[in-house]
Amino acid sequence: MPSTPPAHRRPRAALAMGADAAAAVLSPDSLAALAGVCALAPLPAIDDFTTESARAVLADTEILITGWGCPPIHAGVLAAAPGLRAVVHTAGTVRGHVTDACWDRGIEVSSAAAANALPVAEYTLAMILLSGKRVLERARDFRATRLRDAWLATPPQVGNYRRTVGILSASLIGRRVIELLRPYDLRVLLHDPYVTDEEAAALGARPVGLAELFAESDVVSVHTPLLPATTGLVSRALLTTMRPDAVLVNTSRGAVVDQDALTDVLRADRIRAVIDVTDPDPLPEGHPLWDCDNALITPHLAGSQGNELRRLADLAVGEVARWAAGDGFAHPVRRERLAFLA
């Protein structure tokens, strides 16, 4: 097990990510903040661990600050980095680059998944509220007719008073969505087989079975990580039990939903959908989902983009500072939890 660094020492660190990710996530201010808490190797960031220059940097590195485009840190990389003791990831999942060899060595791992969860939760909240008022459809009709509708004759199913929102999975993002929903007059249901009734109540949701979640919700928001056990979890049977005009919101991964079944249900005009992720992502040009007026398809934009990327960098700086001070990570990734993470 790697030892904890002495308190207030500036550990030797290096960036490992694609050039585009480094430029987008790490502003000059972020790089300066990192340099204040660690001895940062000179740019550019490493995007290939096999080069002579990368090996020279790895030989003296204690902590890798990784991002999108980081190559896998396998046993051969670790052999070239005998002093490596920690990985701080400036994005969400670490599955693509933190290998079993890292866990076997006892390398500590941190991720900015919590920081990336917030914009996804904000997007989800916005779509839940907009769909309740049917804003997008009514704006489209208003543009076409230029006539204001008879607002006193608005159907009673329109609005956000005491609507039922079903959250599928109490993941980091699912929990943030529940938190953001608290100020509103909404009833929140939760399905997550790994959450106890007491935990669900503490979150502010009523625990229900999977079938009940889909049958009773006006909106079902999917936050399940894509794992072998969750592929196709949102099945045709579940989709066909949703209330007429109910809304499916998916910001997790496209393959969690049976996309053929969703397409059929949407084309039958039974439900509506807000889809930020598809399978494949993006959809082929001729896919019938593009022609469904009751589906809002966005280009995988719910996660951190633009100025939200600074939040990822800020979290990484904080994690490096904590580790250097001997305080441990505030956002650790545990090997035993990988089976439940995206």
Side-chain angles (χ1 to χ4, degrees):
M1 176 73 68
S3 59
T4 301
H8 306 299
R9 185 176 65 77
R10 294 171 71 241
R12 299 180 300 277
L15 304 178
M17 62 188 74
D20 290 349
V25 176
L26 298 170
S27 67
D29 286 346
S30 298
L31 290 172
L34 274 175
V37 297
C38 63
L40 190 62
L43 295 174
I46 299 170
D47 60 5
D48 181 352
F49 288 130
T50 66
T51 67
E52 184 176 341
S53 60
R55 296 279 170 156
V57 171
L58 289 172
D60 196 39
T61 294
E62 297 171 86
I63 183 166
L64 270 180
I65 300 160
T66 62
W68 291 296
C70 177
I73 308 169
H74 51 65
V77 176
L78 294 179
L84 183 64
R85 294 186 288 184
V87 171
V88 172
H89 190 44
T90 60
T93 181
V94 299
R95 284 179 175 273
H97 64 292
V98 175
T99 67
D100 284 341
C102 296
W103 302 113
D104 291 343
R105 184 191 277 192
I107 288 173
E108 296 177 77
V109 179
S110 170
S111 164
N116 193 49
L118 181 55
V120 182
E122 291 171 340
Y123 170 100
T124 303
L125 171 67
M127 292 305 170
I128 290 170
L129 297 177
L130 288 172
S131 68
K133 295 283 281 189
R134 296 191 64 102
V135 168
L136 300 174
E137 299 92 335
R138 295 167 78 185
R140 180 192 61 213
D141 293 344
F142 190 32
R143 179 182 292 273
T145 65
R146 306 296 201 271
L147 297 173
R148 181 179 175 182
D149 57 12
W151 62 274
L152 286 176
T154 302
Q157 62 267 32
V158 174
N160 288 306
Y161 181 54
R162 294 185 177 176
R163 279 165 63 82
T164 300
V165 178
I167 303 297
L168 181 54
S169 182
S171 60
L172 278 172
I173 296 169
R175 289 168 185 260
R176 291 305 297 266
V177 172
I178 294 172
E179 178 184 336
L180 294 179
L181 289 172
R182 285 175 189 159
Y184 301 95
D185 282 320
L186 297 166
R187 185 170 69 123
V188 180
L189 308 181
L190 170 65
H191 174 74
D192 189 317
Y194 301 101
V195 173
T196 67
D197 290 0
E198 293 75 18
E199 289 171 329
L203 288 171
R206 180 167 72 86
V208 295
L210 186 59
E212 186 178 355
L213 186 87
F214 277 81
E216 292 200 7
S217 297
D218 297 298
V219 181
V220 173
S221 190
V222 181
H223 302 290
T224 304
L226 180 60
L227 305 168
T230 63
T231 300
L233 176 66
V234 180
S235 64
R236 183 179 299 272
L238 291 172
L239 291 169
T240 55
T241 63
M242 293 180 71
R243 293 176 174 180
D245 203 42
V247 182
L248 181 79
V249 180
N250 188 10
T251 58
S252 60
R253 289 292 183 268
V256 173
V257 177
D258 181 337
Q259 192 163 272
D260 290 341
L262 176 61
T263 302
D264 291 343
V265 174
L266 287 168
R267 294 178 78 180
D269 205 26
R270 288 199 67 258
I271 67 171
R272 295 176 285 148
V274 177
I275 309 167
D276 191 51
V277 287
T278 55
D279 184 30
D281 199 353
L283 286 172
E285 183 177 349
H287 196 283
L289 272 177
W290 290 119
D291 297 321
C292 293
D293 288 339
N294 50 349
L296 172 66
I297 305 173
T298 55
H300 206 150
L301 56 77
S304 298
Q305 293 188 0
N307 59 29
E308 295 163 340
L309 296 172
R310 179 63 183 269
R311 185 186 286 117
L312 307 181
D314 288 348
L315 184 143
V317 171
E319 291 290 74
V320 173
R322 286 180 58 91
W323 191 83
D327 294 333
F329 290 134
H331 302 279
V333 180
R334 308 293 187 196
R335 185 180 198 171
E336 62 270 18
R337 290 292 301 163
L338 281 180
F340 307 100
L341 300 176

